[in-house]
Amino acid sequence: MTNFADLGLSQKVLSAVTDAGYTIPTPIQTGAIPPALQRRDILGIAQTGTGKTASFVLPMLTLLEKGRARARMPRTLILEPTRELAAQVAENFDKYGKNHKLNIALLIGGVSFDEQDRKLERGADVLICTPGRLLDHFERGKLLMSGVEILVIDEADRMLDMGFIPDIERIAKLIPFTRQTLFFSATMPPEIQKLADRFLQNPERVEVARPASTAQTVTQRFVAAHAKDYEKRAVLRDLIRAQDELKNAIIFCNRKKDVADLFRSLDRHGFSVGALHGDMDQRSRMTMLANFKDGNIKLLVASDVAARGLDIPDVSHVFNFDVPIHAEDYVHRIGRTGRAGRSGASFTLVTKRDTKFSDAIEKLIGQKVEWLNGDLSNLPEPMESHDTGRRERGRDGRKDRKKDGDRGSKARSDHKSDTVRADSEAEIETVVERAESVKPARSAENKQAQNNRGDRPVRASNPANDDNRDRRNRHRRDYDDGPTPVGFGDEIPAFMLIAGKA
Ligand code: AMP
């Protein structure tokens, strides 16, 4: 068996690796580190969770020990598709580079230009960026790329999905041809292969997992659902509540808007929940993630972009609220659980509209996924949306606006509170703040009390607020939030409800 000491890494690096508690390199590390130290180009086909970050960080640290940075001329450049991944790589440099005095600059959106600019001015040994932000700095004339000796392109397939390839091509042209390139991708579709052929010279190919394989330790189930979001939300809640072993879960949606809607719904139903999507500012995202990692939030609703590659070691469950449109995303999502040989469970809500995507998933992973309670042909009749029924039809089936108006101020004020809450971004921020106030050192008693899966962490709260929430919840049928308000929601001005001529 290979040890870290056999790979050719410097003493400083080895000592930091030992301090991090790692003794045996993972296969991608064993395969990539020695040729990277010989300044060879690398084509690494590996998913997150395989130790791939250290497979480029450790040799880079060793190589960077010789030489020093000059102002505005970074020595190495790492491109990441998302801010979180970039921040995670920076954390890896802190951890393994603690015996080095290197300047690490993180250039990501959502952080002030000035601060980043100061780091560039001091001279960066390592520049870790999302492509857009790097080009912004470059266009402002704040940096010269002619000193870059090592270029790392991480998660190349994700870059492709996110439309970053033209940016990457532009950036690669700015960097000397003599550079060393380390290129990583979880999958190798033809476009990525072409890109690799263009960027790499005689690379060492290191492949550690069959592309598009899902871990054997993850139980996968499809769950039949009707297409309406409130139906799916009800199915999801039941599923979450039915999981005895649920420690924490990531719930994936395909769209940012759905992340916000689902987050709001689960929060209303009293689950301990946070959300992560690309439009949130950096501080909120990092805080949310930290709270999820620390267990202050049990459920994290996320989009693919935000969650790709996040290193959250022990997620017990993954729920796909939407079937991913790209089958590879399924593999990545499911890869959030069952990491490092642990067992995990995943559930994917499938509606009649989604069958072509679920078929594509089965084809990609080369296996049939079992249905939880019978497939789509066993689906009971859909629930009727109480909201829609209430607003549009009276008991005799006629349009009944007056009745709606007569529901009384109490009912209206209940709905008003929902509409006011519709500013999901602000709401997510509020939850971030709330989560920040939850101290990890909770009493054993409290922990016991919240032991029930998604239950909200017990914390000191204002009893008046709790009463209001209970009262609001009593006015809602448990199974249904109703359809997401569109436009004015229930606050439609009366004049807009006057029926038009047929
Ligand atoms: P990554 O694939 O880079 O996201 O790494 C996944 C996880 O594996 C991270 O938590 C790393 O800290 C951890 N890790 C990296 N290298 C090793 C190793 N040699 N042995 C055990 N864990 C490791």
Side-chain angles (χ1 to χ4, degrees):
M1 193 183 287
T2 316
N3 287 317
F4 273 108
D6 306 328
L7 300 179
L9 295 162
S10 73
Q11 279 312 315
K12 282 183 187 172
V13 173
L14 285 176
S15 129
V17 168
T18 307
D19 290 351
Y22 303 141
T23 46
I24 309 294
T26 64
I28 184 81
Q29 292 163 0
T30 308
I33 292 174
L37 286 171
Q38 290 161 16
R39 298 219 169 247
R40 293 269 314 272
D41 281 1
I42 303 286
L43 171 58
I45 305 168
Q47 300 185 355
T48 51
T50 57
K52 112 179 125 67
T53 316
S55 80
F56 59 84
V57 172
L58 303 183
M60 283 175 76
L61 283 167
T62 301
L63 293 171
L64 283 165
E65 284 173 19
K66 285 201 192 95
R68 53 189 294 273
R70 281 183 285 163
R72 303 209 174 276
M73 288 184 71
R75 299 171 67 196
T76 63
L77 173 64
I78 300 173
L79 296 174
E80 293 289 337
T82 66
R83 301 162 180 185
E84 280 76 16
L85 274 170
Q88 221 161 264
V89 171
E91 280 168 24
N92 271 260
F93 272 98
D94 290 344
K95 180 160 76 174
Y96 303 124
K98 63 179 199 167
N99 302 319
H100 296 72
K101 286 202 180 79
L102 295 174
N103 269 341
I104 314 291
L106 187 60
L107 298 196
I108 51 178
V111 177
S112 97
F113 268 95
D114 288 349
E115 196 185 312
Q116 296 178 347
D117 200 34
R118 275 196 295 277
K119 287 211 162 174
L120 288 175
E121 173 67 55
R122 269 172 43 207
D125 295 287
V126 182
L127 196 55
I128 308 165
C129 325
T130 46
R133 188 43 87 103
L134 176 74
L135 286 171
D136 284 349
H137 277 278
F138 184 77
E139 277 155 15
R140 289 167 177 226
K142 300 290 183 189
L143 109 140
L144 271 172
M145 309 277 240
S146 51
V148 173
E149 298 157 26
I150 304 175
L151 168 67
V152 180
I153 300 170
D154 195 16
E155 303 264 333
D157 51 353
R158 194 61 188 168
M159 302 270 203
L160 175 76
D161 288 352
M162 294 171 71
F164 288 160
I165 298 301
D167 283 353
I168 291 182
E169 289 183 319
R170 243 190 94 194
I171 293 166
K173 278 193 196 130
L174 303 171
I175 301 175
F177 186 63
T178 49
R179 67 172 189 255
Q180 178 184 15
T181 308
L182 314 176
F183 185 101
F184 293 88
S185 190
T187 55
M188 283 304 282
E191 301 94 315
I192 293 296
Q193 185 61 56
K194 267 191 227 149
L195 204 66
D197 293 344
R198 264 211 315 278
F199 287 169
L200 301 171
Q201 294 178 47
N202 185 26
E204 175 81 16
R205 184 185 167 104
V206 189
E207 181 165 356
V208 295
R210 191 165 61 85
S213 60
T214 46
Q216 297 303 313
T217 49
V218 180
T219 311
Q220 302 174 50
R221 293 287 179 271
F222 283 164
V223 185
H226 288 293
K228 286 264 188 265
D229 276 355
Y230 57 88
E231 299 260 3
K232 288 172 75 182
R233 290 198 288 261
V235 172
L236 177 71
R237 287 196 297 276
D238 288 347
L239 257 179
I240 295 171
R241 289 179 183 131
Q243 304 306 309
D244 292 332
E245 309 281 306
L246 192 146
K247 183 170 165 276
N248 56 358
I250 304 185
I251 306 169
F252 286 97
C253 297
N254 287 356
R255 287 166 306 183
K256 280 184 284 202
K257 178 187 171 299
D258 293 337
V259 169
D261 288 347
L262 183 59
F263 156 77
R264 195 169 61 232
S265 164
L266 288 167
D267 183 47
R268 248 188 237 152
H269 280 271
F271 290 90
S272 162
V273 61
L276 206 63
H277 66 68
D279 281 354
M280 288 164 68
D281 70 52
Q282 187 59 15
R283 191 189 72 90
S284 305
R285 292 215 259 178
M286 299 312 268
T287 311
M288 194 64 86
L289 199 56
N291 277 296
F292 185 65
K293 281 188 183 174
D294 294 347
N296 299 331
I297 293 170
K298 284 200 170 183
L299 306 175
L300 187 68
V301 188
S303 61
D304 289 289
V305 169
R308 180 70 166 239
L310 295 182
D311 177 26
I312 303 164
D314 52 351
V315 174
S316 71
H317 284 63
V318 167
F319 297 95
N320 289 320
F321 184 73
D322 299 306
V323 184
I325 290 163
H326 301 294
E328 299 82 37
D329 282 338
Y330 178 83
V331 179
H332 286 287
R333 291 180 182 186
I334 301 302
R336 308 285 92 216
T337 185
R339 283 160 93 93
R342 289 189 186 89
S343 61
S346 72
F347 297 90
T348 302
L349 270 53
V350 182
T351 72
K352 286 192 175 137
R353 287 185 204 154
D354 301 322
T355 48
K356 79 169 180 226
F357 304 126
S358 54
D359 290 349
I361 287 168
E362 290 183 325
K363 201 166 152 217
L364 181 78
I365 62 174
Q367 67 183 81
K368 285 272 168 209
V369 177
E370 259 180 60
W371 291 82
L372 183 64
N373 292 319
D375 62 17
L376 286 159
S377 60
N378 298 326
L379 210 52
E381 283 303 296
M383 305 164 183
E384 211 184 304
S385 149
H386 70 287
D387 244 26
T388 311
R390 209 163 45 194
R391 196 180 317 155
E392 290 182 354
R393 308 248 167 234
R395 213 171 279 165
D396 56 4
R398 272 185 292 123
K399 275 222 167 172
D400 198 346
R401 290 194 308 276
K402 181 147 189 311
K403 215 176 213 143
D404 186 52
D406 283 346
R407 275 193 294 132
S409 57
K410 172 76 189 78
R412 178 153 286 277
S413 69
D414 285 341
H415 273 276
K416 185 162 184 183
S417 64
D418 289 351
T419 315
V420 168
R421 291 167 64 89
D423 181 358
S424 37
E425 190 70 29
E427 218 174 322
I428 291 170
E429 302 259 344
T430 312
V431 173
V432 172
E433 275 151 30
R434 215 166 52 199
E436 276 176 328
S437 74
V438 180
K439 295 282 176 286
R442 289 183 297 264
S443 70
E445 233 170 280
N446 279 358
K447 274 197 182 145
Q448 185 62 40
Q450 70 171 88
N451 205 15
N452 286 342
R453 299 163 296 277
D455 288 351
R456 186 181 298 286
V458 177
R459 57 179 173 264
S461 61
N462 176 349
N465 287 347
D466 287 352
D467 279 347
N468 282 340
R469 176 185 283 276
D470 288 349
R471 217 174 303 133
R472 274 204 312 270
N473 282 342
R474 274 201 296 277
H475 280 270
R476 275 186 203 107
R477 283 163 64 177
D478 184 53
Y479 68 77
D480 189 9
D481 287 318
T484 306
V486 176
F488 290 99
D490 270 8
E491 301 302 303
I492 297 177
F495 75 89
M496 289 181 78
L497 290 169
I498 297 167
K501 283 194 186 121

